[in-house]
Amino acid sequence: MKTYKNLIYILFLVAIPFLAKAQKSDKSIVTCEFTVQGVCEMCKERIEEAALIKGVKMAEWDNSTGVFKAVYREDKVTEKEIHEAIAMAGHATDQVPADSEAYDRLPKCCAYNDGIDKH
């Protein structure tokens, strides 16, 4: 009987660090939502790819509403860094203007500042 109690005690001691780490990780996962300028499916692909920097677990942009959503680890990346990564790909966010050189390299169908209609 004593051996059984010792085994349970040892398993409990081994499990505590793993449970504590899992709980800590869950607390650092957050979501954000903001507006990103874009037009088409090519924009969607570019925006989502640009946002997938280290620490970002999920990135999704809706081209009909312009709303971008991300799930990320706040201990690895900040929301501001996500904005900046998207802006460096040529797409303005509601906090960071697009990099002008990157914007100039966008395909014509993606030139959202030039009055191009969605298709």
Side-chain angles (χ1 to χ4, degrees), residues 62-119:
D62 183 335
N63 68 333
S64 63
T65 63
V67 175
F68 173 82
K69 296 178 185 176
V71 176
Y72 64 97
R73 289 191 48 173
E74 66 182 348
D75 60 330
K76 301 281 184 189
V77 67
T78 65
E79 182 177 336
K80 179 76 168 180
E81 290 171 317
I82 299 169
H83 280 267
E84 291 168 350
I86 293 169
M88 290 306 295
H91 293 274
T93 74
D94 56 16
Q95 293 183 18
V96 179
D99 178 80
S100 59
E101 290 178 15
Y103 179 82
D104 290 342
R105 288 191 302 270
L106 293 178
K108 294 291 181 204
C109 67
C110 298
Y112 55 88
N113 284 336
D114 299 338
I116 303 298
D117 291 331
K118 291 184 180 186
H119 40 92

Side-chain angles (χ1 to χ4, degrees), residues 30-38 43-53 56-72 77-87 91-94:
V30 296
T31 61
C32 66
E33 187 173 303
F34 52 86
T35 304
V36 177
Q37 297 287 322
C43 294
K44 176 179 175 61
E45 185 177 323
R46 186 180 312 101
I47 291 164
E48 291 175 354
E49 186 176 311
L52 287 175
I53 56 179
V56 177
K57 302 299 181 189
M58 187 276 304
E60 184 176 64
W61 182 70
D62 183 335
N63 68 333
S64 63
T65 63
V67 175
F68 173 82
K69 296 178 185 176
V71 176
Y72 64 97
V77 67
T78 65
E79 182 177 336
K80 179 76 168 180
E81 290 171 317
I82 299 169
H83 280 267
E84 291 168 350
I86 293 169
H91 293 274
T93 74
D94 56 16

